[in-house]
Amino acid sequence: MGKIRVYTLRAPYHAQPLNTGICRVVGVFLLFFFIPLSFPGLTHGFSSKAPKEAYEKRRYDMVAMQLAARGIKDEAVLRAMRRVPRHLFVPEGSKGTAYGDFPLSIGYGQTISQPYIVAFMTELLQPGKDHIALEVGTGSGYQAAVLGEIVQEVFTIEIIPPLGRAAERRLNELGYENITVKVADGYYGWEEHAPFDCIVVTAASDHIPPPLVQQLKKGGKMAIPVGQPFRVQNLMAIEKSVDGEIKTRNVLPVRFVPFRRTWK
Ligand code: SAH
């Protein structure tokens, strides 16, 4: 079962690796023939009223089959993804599919990324427990919570006010005292808390915002999707060396919602 590449199935939303046609065909085959056998709840109306333990079981399965089986190795990342209750970050009607291998709509035209992408980006940052992290694009607050499980402190910025406020409320209710949300244009970063050991941007920009590079600590790491809106973008890994030199590399083709400069 560990070999099922169901993330090859859906390309319509952002935040998933893109694949060749053949992968997709194989993926569709696997989805229809195997997934109903292994995740009966996922495809047959897993109730949003299911007990906490049922969600936990799905979370563990998600980590084993979608993350560990696809090469996510960082134990801290795997542990965090086992802990954060993703179903509490999605709209009520999507709870039953919260642990599926795809992004989900969170309103205002935005999405919570596919679990694999969240894990992949988090692993790229090599987050440590004494780190200070910045996220641009709070959305539901899920990526912030995953980081919050690992690092000392997370600052996260969302440009759409109702999304930012809802995420802040949710993170408070869940007891994430080390996460601070701000509603603003994240292009400028968050100067007063800089420099950051890790920076993750979860919306696709046509260039890397210079203030973010400037606010990255020496030795720090950043993950950002770069490219045109509604096209294939490159997930870029950026490192600032101890002497301040910037190195960038493309690590994965992805599709994210656009980085924007105003709310409406
Ligand atoms: N990380 C989120 C996924 C967010 S989708 C999660 O885990 O749920 C990308 C988010 O980036 C959207 O909510 C969008 O409104 C936000 N965004 C886009 N441009 C932004 C900007 N300039 N500053 C801050 N947030 C931005």
Side-chain angles (χ1 to χ4, degrees):
M1 289 308 299
K3 291 241 157 49
I4 291 181
R5 296 288 198 269
V6 280
Y7 69 95
T8 56
L9 297 179
R10 296 182 159 216
Y13 292 108
H14 83 290
Q16 50 194 322
L18 298 164
N19 296 280
T20 61
I22 183 73
C23 286
R24 197 163 302 154
V25 169
V26 172
V28 168
F29 176 83
L30 292 173
L31 178 74
F32 287 107
F33 287 89
F34 292 111
I35 296 301
L37 300 177
S38 49
F39 291 103
L42 202 69
T43 46
H44 299 133
F46 182 60
S47 166
S48 65
K49 303 262 181 325
K52 212 169 143 211
E53 296 70 35
Y55 284 114
E56 191 173 56
K57 161 88 170 70
R58 283 201 156 41
R59 201 149 62 237
Y60 274 67
D61 286 349
M62 168 193 91
V63 169
M65 303 173 91
Q66 299 174 33
L67 312 184
R70 289 187 192 137
I72 304 292
K73 289 195 172 58
D74 187 327
E75 228 358 276
V77 176
L78 296 172
R79 198 182 323 117
M81 300 283 295
R82 276 188 210 106
R83 282 176 60 89
V84 181
R86 182 172 164 95
H87 62 285
L88 300 182
F89 288 80
V90 301
E92 188 64 31
S94 302
K95 277 185 166 180
T97 48
Y99 296 100
D101 197 13
F102 36 77
L104 287 166
S105 170
I106 54 170
Y108 302 91
Q110 309 305 316
T111 51
I112 175 174
S113 304
Q114 178 192 10
Y116 176 73
I117 290 293
V118 174
F120 187 88
M121 289 178 89
T122 312
E123 189 171 64
L124 266 186
L125 301 173
Q126 297 180 359
K129 62 178 185 317
D130 56 347
H131 282 176
I132 309 293
L134 173 72
E135 178 194 25
V136 176
T138 315
S140 68
Y142 179 68
Q143 168 77 73
V146 169
L147 271 171
E149 292 281 347
I150 305 170
V151 303
Q152 188 182 318
E153 194 149 20
V154 181
F155 295 94
T156 178
I157 308 174
E158 170 57 53
I159 202 167
I160 301 181
L163 276 181
R165 286 193 290 265
E168 184 175 41
R169 210 175 317 118
R170 180 178 294 126
L171 291 164
N172 279 336
E173 280 167 13
L174 290 171
Y176 286 101
E177 287 172 5
N178 62 342
I179 304 178
T180 312
V181 182
K182 169 165 96 167
V183 172
D185 176 4
Y187 186 90
Y188 302 104
W190 199 329
E191 185 69 56
E192 63 185 292
H193 298 293
F196 301 100
D197 300 281
C198 344
I199 300 181
V200 60
V201 181
T202 62
S205 177
D206 60 2
H207 66 279
I208 303 167
L212 298 185
V213 178
Q214 190 248 319
Q215 290 174 26
L216 189 62
K217 198 185 255 180
K218 287 180 176 164
K221 298 200 162 47
M222 166 150 85
I224 177 172
V226 179
Q228 297 306 316
F230 311 111
R231 300 231 182 133
V232 179
Q233 303 123 10
N234 274 312
L235 180 60
M236 297 187 73
I238 298 162
E239 290 183 33
K240 191 183 263 189
S241 72
V242 281
D243 42 23
E245 194 197 335
I246 305 295
K247 278 200 191 120
T248 61
R249 62 196 167 95
N250 293 338
V251 286
L252 192 71
V254 286
R255 213 181 264 261
F256 274 78
V257 292
F259 193 91
R260 44 206 290 166
R261 306 303 309 280
T262 56
W263 174 28
K264 293 200 172 165

